Amino acid sequence: MERRTIENRHTCSIEETRTSQAEAAALPRHEKAWRYLLALRLASDRHPSTRKHLKSTYQIQKENERLVQCFPFYIVHPLSRLRAYADMATFVVMNLHLMLLPFAFSFLTFLPNTSTLNRIESYDLELCFLLAGEFLLKFCTGYVDQDAFEIVLDPKRIVWRRLRPLRLLYDLALFMPYILLLEVFRAWILDAGAEVCLAFVSLLYISNIGRFHDSNRYFQVIPRTLGVPEGRKRIIQIIMNTVYVLHWTTCLGYIIPLILKAHPSAVSSDQQHLLEVLRMMEEHTPTYRNISALRTVTDPFVRRRLTDIQTNASTSYRYFRSMMMTLRLGLASCERTDLEQHFMYQWTMWLVMFLGWIWFNYVPVVLCRALDSPEMANDQYDRFLSNLHAYSLNKRLSPQLERSLRENFATRFRARFFDESMIMGLFPRNLRSSIKMETCRHLVTSVDLFKNLPYSILADIVDCLQLEVYLEGDVIIAAGSYGDSMYFLASGTVAVYAMHGRELGHLSDGAYFGEISLIKRNQQRTANVVALEPCEIYRLPHEDFQSVIQPHTYLLNRIRKQAEQRLSAMKRKKDKMYRKKLIEAFLQ
């Protein structure tokens, strides 16, 4: 749903509201800044998922009142601007950290420039610090319980949810400063043997290779903010996940041969010469000694890597060459000479080949599903919007009208398309009536004229309700027109204007107006009702109500008597009414 801009935002002319706005504008700058910071933790329509859970400004206000009045000041709403900004920042920081980590241990381990290593360590530590801040922020952030359709803000429930043992360890492992072990890892390769190094690298790989799921979760807020369709979002995620897995596997495939050949207890001359070369590079010995020692290494697979390090080949060249090798393994198109002869490396690469075969066969399936999956609600929603765009082009509709059609559709379906007529047609009449009663009963029972009516009569009235969607600026009732329906405001906010243009007040979720039109059809409207935001309104026509109530003469007479008494009372006391009653008087 499109966000309102400053130009088309409603300017309230009610005296009390304008006074409070003037008082807020007169506050000192530090007070304004403090209020702005406090408002960041509150639910906001600027969060891309707000309209899925909170349909109107009124619901957002009630949710913020619940947050402020019932919970500590440090609790952050999951639909707040702070949470949206944190998700975007965490997505960038997490991916930078997870991409830098394997690259540093694989390609920068024997980098002779210690100042470069120090800068990389400092940079990654800053990223870990930011991720630790996100970890702590989670303990102060509520969550949406999808099963119970509830927004949980209770601190105890939040903490217990975050303290689940496996989840806690998984979250802690994300921002652990592994980069501090880079110097130790270099010493391990020379002294501790292949087992320790291989175990460390394998642990690092296993604990982080599945992190793309976390990255996808944080990524959700970005395409929703930009309005990217669901199908395109999934394609972007697949590409990002493929690059992530390929990056980690590339780094693993580069460092393993050096680890396996650098065992200090090995007796082969080839491994002893390898250790000699690595120690010379560690001690920054003259180049000709490195070359002479390098010639004694007979294994071509390892020798090529050592030659790159010794000749100071560019890191990007080594990285992309290893990536091409990994792609060939993953696509099962490599030759036997491409594999190093150590059995552990062969088993590792065969595993990479198997996983690569699975991944590269899984990607086309997911892409086909993303491009053509009519059974999914999100895809049907995007498909309908595409059809709507094609229809607008064919009919040469104006961009403003097309935008109104899209926003009306977005308000009606909330990003998930469904065929209501088909769904309702599957169930018998009693279940259809139960669905409507559960959805709209609270709207009908709040009307004074309908109080104490039998359940069966209320069910028949609810069956007559017709859903209508009004966009911002749409006129729901025009002053001077003759009423033929009653309106129930399910969600949204409307403004009430007198005939001369004076703004009388606002109505929000659960309000109703025009009930006298059910009894007196040609009652002239004395006020304008205009939508201030997208509104869902149920309309009860005069004819449908009469068809339901006429067989019950005693109820019809009682309702007519109540309506006439209320109308006459309002006409006598119109000058002494408070705003709410005054609005009701104008909207009969």
Side-chain angles (χ1 to χ4, degrees):
M1 186 179 299
E2 295 185 7
R3 192 179 301 134
R4 289 186 295 175
T5 60
I6 296 177
E7 290 76 10
N8 61 11
R9 189 172 298 167
H10 170 70
T11 302
C12 186
S13 59
I14 301 175
E15 184 177 353
E16 289 83 352
T17 304
R18 296 181 65 181
T19 302
S20 61
Q21 292 175 349
E23 292 176 352
L27 291 174
R29 288 187 178 181
H30 67 277
E31 185 68 22
K32 291 181 180 179
W34 177 246
R35 288 193 177 190
Y36 175 79
L37 293 177
L38 291 178
L40 287 178
R41 73 182 185 98
L42 303 179
S44 172
D45 60 349
R46 295 188 180 182
H47 193 287
S49 299
T50 298
R51 291 298 181 181
K52 287 187 177 181
H53 307 282
L54 304 174
K55 294 184 177 181
S56 65
T57 303
Y58 176 79
Q59 294 182 11
I60 296 175
Q61 291 174 352
K62 288 298 180 182
E63 187 68 14
N64 288 333
E65 289 178 7
R66 183 171 75 98
L67 173 61
V68 173
Q69 297 174 5
C70 303
F71 300 102
F73 70 94
Y74 55 82
I75 297 297
V76 178
H77 200 281
L79 302 177
S80 63
R81 284 182 290 171
L82 177 60
R83 186 64 264 172
Y85 299 154
D87 286 348
M88 295 180 188
T90 303
F91 169 76
V92 176
V93 172
M94 176 187 294
N95 282 276
L96 289 175
H97 169 66
L98 293 177
M99 298 295 273
L100 178 61
L101 197 60
F103 186 81
F105 279 95
S106 297
F107 293 94
L108 305 181
T109 302
F110 300 101
L111 194 66
N113 192 345
T114 56
S115 61
T116 304
L117 291 178
N118 292 335
R119 286 197 302 270
I120 293 174
E121 288 182 1
S122 301
Y123 179 68
D124 191 69
L125 286 177
E126 293 176 0
L127 298 178
C128 291
F129 179 78
L130 294 176
L131 291 175
E134 163 63 15
F135 173 77
L136 296 177
L137 183 61
K138 285 182 178 179
F139 283 89
C140 304
T141 305
Y143 62 94
V144 179
D145 190 342
Q146 301 289 352
D147 297 329
F149 300 102
E150 177 189 9
I151 299 177
V152 179
L153 300 175
D154 183 16
K156 293 182 179 179
R157 293 180 61 181
I158 295 173
V159 171
W160 279 113
R161 184 173 186 265
R162 301 299 180 189
L163 287 180
R164 289 178 297 179
L166 294 179
R167 184 67 192 181
L168 181 62
L169 293 176
Y170 183 76
D171 291 340
L172 286 173
L174 175 61
F175 60 89
M176 294 298 291
Y178 299 105
I179 198 71
L180 295 178
L181 299 177
L182 190 60
E183 296 285 345
V184 181
F185 182 72
R186 183 188 304 186
W188 281 351
I189 293 181
L190 299 175
D191 301 324
E195 292 82 0
V196 177
C197 298
L198 188 61
F200 175 76
V201 172
S202 301
L203 178 63
L204 201 63
Y205 182 82
I206 294 173
S207 61
N208 290 285
I209 192 63
R211 292 284 183 183
F212 61 84
H213 291 294
D214 298 323
S215 177
N216 291 343
R217 187 173 68 252
Y218 286 109
F219 175 71
Q220 297 288 338
V221 69
I222 298 177
R224 288 175 183 172
T225 302
L226 299 177
V228 178
E230 193 70 20
R232 294 182 184 177
K233 184 192 73 175
R234 283 200 295 272
I235 294 175
I236 295 174
Q237 286 181 340
I238 292 172
I239 295 174
M240 291 192 308
N241 297 344
T242 302
V243 171
Y244 178 80
V245 174
L246 179 62
H247 173 76
W248 271 86
T249 309
T250 296
C251 297
L252 181 72
Y254 184 86
I255 194 62
I256 281 182
L258 294 178
I259 293 176
L260 295 175
K261 283 295 183 178
H263 199 299
S265 59
V267 295
S268 67
S269 60
D270 190 45
Q271 291 172 335
Q272 291 177 356
H273 293 317
L274 171 61
L275 286 172
E276 183 181 354
V277 172
L278 293 178
R279 287 196 175 94
M280 288 178 181
M281 295 176 181
E282 179 75 11
E283 298 170 0
H284 308 287
T285 53
T287 305
Y288 70 89
R289 292 186 58 189
N290 290 351
I291 295 176
S292 60
L294 184 61
R295 289 172 181 171
T296 60
V297 179
T298 59
D299 191 299
F301 200 71
V302 178
R303 183 174 178 176
R304 182 168 56 181
R305 282 159 169 72
L306 291 176
T307 303
D308 292 339
I309 298 174
Q310 193 274 334
T311 57
N312 199 23
S314 65
T315 306
S316 59
Y317 169 76
R318 291 183 282 151
Y319 174 78
F320 284 111
R321 189 179 65 188
S322 181
M323 179 180 290
M324 293 301 104
M325 181 70 66
T326 305
L327 284 173
R328 293 176 64 184
L329 286 169
L331 296 173
S333 61
C334 65
E335 300 177 0
R336 187 175 182 83
T337 55
D338 293 332
L339 293 176
E340 199 266 339
Q341 298 303 312
H342 196 285
F343 77 95
M344 183 64 71
Y345 186 74
Q346 289 185 354
W347 276 104
T348 304
M349 290 297 104
W350 285 118
L351 178 61
V352 170
M353 186 183 299
F354 176 71
L355 295 178
W357 177 82
I358 294 177
W359 183 267
F360 286 106
N361 283 275
Y362 165 77
V363 168
V365 174
V366 177
L367 286 175
C368 292
R369 185 184 178 193
L371 295 173
D372 186 16
S373 54
E375 75 281 1
M376 299 185 66
N378 292 334
D379 293 328
Q380 288 182 329
Y381 180 86
D382 293 335
R383 178 172 295 183
F384 184 89
L385 290 180
S386 300
N387 292 336
L388 180 61
H389 179 65
Y391 176 83
S392 301
L393 292 177
N394 182 270
K395 297 297 182 179
R396 297 183 179 180
L397 302 181
S398 63
Q400 293 79 5
L401 180 56
E402 181 184 356
R403 191 180 306 112
S404 298
L405 294 175
R406 293 173 65 92
E407 190 172 354
N408 189 292
F409 183 77
T411 304
R412 176 69 179 84
F413 293 100
R414 307 288 174 179
R416 291 183 179 275
F417 180 79
F418 53 88
D419 190 343
E420 186 173 8
S421 59
M422 183 272 292
I423 295 174
M424 297 296 283
L426 297 174
F427 304 110
R429 186 178 185 279
N430 63 324
L431 287 180
R432 294 198 300 268
S433 179
S434 299
I435 293 173
K436 285 193 172 182
M437 282 294 287
E438 188 167 327
T439 305
C440 304
R441 183 179 181 179
H442 68 285
L443 299 174
V444 176
T445 54
S446 63
V447 181
D448 294 336
L449 298 181
F450 298 159
K451 287 183 178 178
N452 302 321
L453 288 181
Y455 180 86
S456 59
I457 303 297
L458 289 176
D460 291 338
I461 292 175
V462 168
D463 284 338
C464 297
L465 296 180
Q466 302 174 8
L467 176 62
E468 297 179 350
V469 174
Y470 293 88
L471 303 180
E472 180 184 358
D474 289 351
V475 178
I476 303 170
I477 289 179
S481 62
Y482 292 94
D484 61 351
S485 300
M486 179 181 178
Y487 297 88
F488 300 88
L489 184 55
S491 65
T493 306
V494 299
V496 181
Y497 296 91
M499 207 175 259
H500 57 274
R502 176 192 172 194
E503 187 172 2
L504 302 176
H506 297 164
L507 299 176
S508 55
D509 298 25
Y512 58 89
F513 46 91
E515 64 268 29
I516 301 301
S517 299
L518 299 178
I519 308 301
K520 296 183 178 183
R521 175 167 182 168
N522 293 324
Q523 185 77 11
Q524 190 175 22
R525 307 288 194 187
T526 58
N528 295 293
V529 179
V530 181
L532 298 182
E533 62 178 338
C535 299
E536 291 182 357
I537 293 179
Y538 287 93
R539 185 171 67 89
L540 177 60
H542 172 87
E543 295 83 358
D544 293 341
F545 174 76
Q546 291 294 327
S547 65
V548 170
I549 204 67
Q550 275 184 355
H552 310 278
T553 308
Y554 71 99
L555 292 177
L556 180 59
N557 293 333
R558 192 187 76 181
I559 292 175
R560 282 177 176 173
K561 185 177 180 180
Q562 289 178 352
E564 291 175 356
Q565 290 176 351
R566 186 178 177 193
L567 189 59
S568 60
M570 287 186 174
K571 287 181 179 179
R572 290 194 306 267
K573 302 178 181 180
K574 204 168 192 180
D575 296 334
K576 300 179 180 180
M577 291 179 182
Y578 292 103
R579 170 164 288 106
K580 182 178 180 181
K581 293 295 182 182
L582 184 62
I583 294 173
E584 293 178 358
F586 272 94
L587 292 176
Q588 301 306 313

